Amino acid sequence: MDDIVINVEKVSKVYKLYDKPADRVREALGISKKQFYKKHYALSEVNLTIGKGECVGIIGANGAGKSTLLKIITGVLNPTSGKVEINGKISALLELGAGFNPEYTGIENIYVNGRMTGFAKEEVDKRLADILEFADIGDFVYQPVKTYSSGMFVRLAFAVAINIEPDILIVDEALAVGDVFFQAKCFRKFEEFKNKGKTILFVSHALGSIQKYCDRAILLDKGVKVDEGAPKQMIDMYNRILVHSEDDNIIRMDKRKESGEKCGWDESKPWKEQLACNPNTLEYGNKEAEIIDYCIVNKDGVITNVINEGEKFIIRFKVRFHHAIKDPILAFTIKDLRGVELAGTNTMIENVDLGLVEQGELLWIEFEQLMAFRSNEYLLCLGCTGFVEGELVIYHRLYDVCNISVTADKDIVGIFALHSKVEVSRSK
């Protein structure tokens, strides 16, 4: 079909894994008929079609097969089985360094990449000014690229990729190394590409970008295509995979959701085991009271790390009291990835008087909030403290227990959404 620009049919990529180098030699020499390797399926019978003008995101954990799939689509790798059909000219920005010779200058690499894409020198000459303007790396373009910072490198690579007028643009996480202003510039270019009817295939761990810019998303897990659909739906499913949910549980939960049944959570498991948590959580305190469980709950009552901007969500945790404590204070804080505290509250600020909590008691606390942060990744911290004779006592604090991935459908200036109501009047 003319409107299908990428068609992938039953594509698999299998690697042979050997326990030791000698086994590879034995097999090559045919010393024994014994099989010395194990098969590793980087991809297993993946099917997908992408139409002209679509912006499609591919998501999945590390090792899911995302980069392998893109390399097969771009021709960098050959599939073990299956076939790929491409209808259009591809420009790809894969991992940092792909397609550039570190010994060549930026200018030399521009021309080399142009020739690899099928452009004559004269055609690259016409595009050179646009490439240099977009990259905006100044005189460094005349220096060997091995002297570039990662940010400068990706600026030049992306500038080349988008200015050779491709029908299909493929980007694999490379934008993550660019600064925030350059990323904004690139996403504006994405919008231009979409408006021109061009196709974008985009791999990113920035789930907010996937939701905002992509028409649909494809979810991979351990080389298998799990599902495809609306970005928000796939992001929710991806989050459940991150917390080791089985596929049948995911399907069952989705069916319950479709039937209108409240999903909630699996009461047979601790809440935190249904969340993607930080294995290196920092904790301290005397543990006279201990935070033993916690979770984030979205507006549908589902435990998840992914919250949509503008929607209500709940931070919930349990505290076990190993000693009697008078007037404990339960708190949470949300930080950015640099560690800057952005917002938080506690029971004292909210005028919730807990009084005397007896030894052995278990408290459940819920903070219901409206998500007002812009699309990004954040970190959650929890605490149980109090005052004894005017001195602050830390019973238990957990720093960076988990991430909160905020997704959004529109841009926000700054950190917080203002949820403005706009009225405009006109007169002559």
Side-chain angles (χ1 to χ4, degrees), residues 320-326 355-362:
R320 173 72 69 185
F321 285 77
H322 303 301
H323 294 266
I325 294 175
K326 189 174 186 303
L356 177 65
V357 182
E358 300 289 351
Q359 180 179 350
E361 275 196 83
L362 179 67

Side-chain angles (χ1 to χ4, degrees), residues 40-286:
H40 170 68
Y41 280 83
L43 292 173
S44 180
E45 295 197 341
V46 172
N47 295 288
L48 65 92
T49 58
I50 297 175
K52 182 178 180 181
E54 279 194 291
C55 183
V56 177
I58 300 179
I59 61 176
N62 292 332
K66 307 183 298 296
S67 296
T68 301
L69 178 59
L70 293 195
K71 288 177 181 177
I72 288 174
I73 290 173
T74 56
V76 175
L77 290 177
N78 292 319
T80 304
S81 60
K83 67 177 183 177
V84 177
E85 298 174 344
I86 305 295
N87 181 20
K89 183 168 62 179
I90 288 180
S91 179
L93 184 58
L94 302 178
E95 72 268 12
L96 206 60
F100 273 53
N101 187 322
E103 301 297 329
Y104 290 178
T105 67
I107 289 286
E108 290 169 335
N109 272 291
I110 290 171
Y111 281 93
V112 169
N113 270 261
R115 287 198 296 272
M116 290 170 61
T117 314
F119 285 107
K121 180 181 181 300
E122 293 73 21
E123 292 175 299
V124 178
D125 287 339
K126 295 176 183 178
R127 294 167 171 80
L128 185 60
D130 291 335
I131 292 171
L132 297 182
E133 181 183 0
F134 195 95
D136 193 23
I137 61 172
D139 291 338
F140 278 98
V141 76
Y142 302 106
Q143 301 300 318
V145 299
K146 66 182 180 182
T147 66
Y148 290 9
S149 67
S150 57
M152 289 167 55
F153 189 98
V154 78
R155 280 176 171 271
L156 182 62
F158 191 81
V160 172
I162 63 169
N163 281 288
I164 63 170
E165 298 181 2
D167 301 304
I168 306 163
L169 177 64
I170 296 179
V171 181
D172 181 8
E173 282 293 356
L175 298 185
V177 301
D179 62 63
V180 64
F181 302 110
F182 183 71
Q183 290 181 35
K185 191 175 181 180
C186 293
F187 285 122
R188 286 197 298 271
K189 202 69 178 179
F190 279 9
E191 293 288 354
E192 289 181 26
F193 267 50
K194 287 179 67 177
N195 294 336
K196 290 179 180 179
K198 297 180 183 290
T199 302
I200 300 171
L201 192 54
F202 182 40
V203 165
S204 180
H205 286 289
L207 301 180
S209 297
I210 293 289
Q211 178 167 335
K212 179 179 176 184
Y213 293 102
C214 296
D215 303 306
R216 61 188 172 100
I218 295 166
L219 175 59
L220 298 180
D221 184 47
K222 298 177 182 176
V224 177
K225 177 183 165 186
V226 177
D227 204 350
E228 63 179 293
K232 183 64 167 65
Q233 179 186 359
M234 293 301 102
I235 289 169
D236 288 342
M237 191 176 292
Y238 170 46
N239 181 66
R240 295 199 290 278
I241 287 176
L242 283 179
V243 293
H244 313 297
S245 296
E246 299 295 333
D247 287 352
D248 59 343
N249 288 337
I250 291 172
I251 294 168
R252 183 165 62 251
M253 183 177 285
D254 288 339
K255 285 181 178 177
R256 288 171 62 190
K257 213 170 173 184
E258 289 169 6
S259 68
E261 183 181 349
K262 189 174 180 65
C263 293
W265 50 83
D266 185 350
E267 288 290 3
S268 66
K269 295 168 61 178
W271 298 337
K272 59 188 177 183
E273 290 184 11
Q274 301 172 64
L275 202 66
C277 294
N278 179 7
N280 299 310
T281 294
L282 174 64
E283 62 174 316
Y284 67 94
N286 63 25

